[in-house]
Amino acid sequence: MTPALIHGDHASCSRVGGSMRRESSRLRQHALTLDDALGGLASWKGPEAESSRAAIAATIRVLRATADHLDEAGAALQSYAIDLAQGHELGRRAEQRVREAGLFLDGSRVVEPWGPASAEEAEGRRTQIPKIQARVDLATVCVGRARGRLAREMRRLAQALSEEHSRVAR
């Protein structure tokens, strides 16, 4: 058995993305609870009251921003899972065509098998290679683009979280 053309577990990606989105919902709920508590502290007087309220308000802002970023990351991961599932299906179909044509995959390259073959048989295989290679390329490009989109989105979100942390740390 040859290794699969497309690697990755779309079901796990979807589950993790869903978990991230559920966790972001919980963080939003915690932010609401803190916001309610902050409203109850409006009458608090004393030397540290104002700075404490400001610190709690800052924490609420960070919590909400973190929840938003976590939700965006989960959504991006779920979107990637859909693209990965489509890539798996395209890859499965391409692999099936490769087998049906009596060809083989060398990584993502369609090649003829070694060994003796009649001229007709060899020519028949050779004529199929470009069409089948295009299907293989479609599957790998589909997943490659999805991975690129996911990587860009994760870098953007990591940067946003880092900036949010820096604002709070000041």
Side-chain angles (χ1 to χ4, degrees):
M1 173 145 188
T2 60
L5 177 62
I6 304 299
H7 300 282
D9 181 1
H10 55 31
S12 292
C13 289
S14 181
R15 272 193 304 276
V16 170
S19 293
M20 292 169 79
R21 297 190 86 185
R22 282 188 298 281
E23 190 60 33
S24 75
S25 178
R26 282 192 280 276
L27 289 176
R28 284 189 184 99
Q29 188 59 45
H30 291 310
L32 285 173
T33 301
L34 280 173
D35 204 25
D36 290 344
L38 183 60
L41 294 177
S43 62
W44 179 27
K45 305 288 187 234
E48 304 208 2
E50 194 58 38
S51 64
S52 295
R53 279 193 292 270
I56 294 169
T59 300
I60 293 169
R61 281 192 303 276
V62 170
L63 197 53
R64 285 186 175 135
T66 301
D68 291 345
H69 295 316
L70 189 58
D71 187 56
E72 290 173 38
L77 198 51
Q78 287 181 316
S79 177
Y80 170 71
I82 292 167
D83 293 340
L84 184 58
Q86 290 172 342
H88 272 288
E89 182 57 23
L90 289 171
R92 185 194 64 75
R93 290 178 188 172
E95 289 171 328
Q96 183 178 353
R97 296 267 159 106
V98 167
R99 283 189 303 278
E100 290 170 353
L103 299 166
F104 290 95
L105 281 173
D106 181 12
S108 61
R109 199 173 122 229
V110 179
V111 296
E112 290 184 71
W114 286 89
S118 70
E120 290 174 0
E121 188 179 6
E123 184 58 30
R125 286 183 192 153
R126 248 182 259 119
T127 59
Q128 293 182 59
I129 289 177
K131 183 178 174 183
I132 295 172
Q133 184 66 59
R135 289 181 172 275
V136 169
D137 292 345
L138 177 64
T140 57
V141 165
C142 171
V143 172
R145 286 182 180 156
R147 286 182 178 143
R149 281 190 302 273
L150 180 63
R152 284 188 301 278
E153 182 65 5
M154 292 303 127
R155 279 192 300 272
R156 182 188 72 77
L157 290 169
Q159 180 66 32
L161 282 168
S162 177
E163 288 170 1
E164 192 67 39
H165 175 73
S166 295
R167 275 192 292 274
V168 171
R170 288 184 217 150

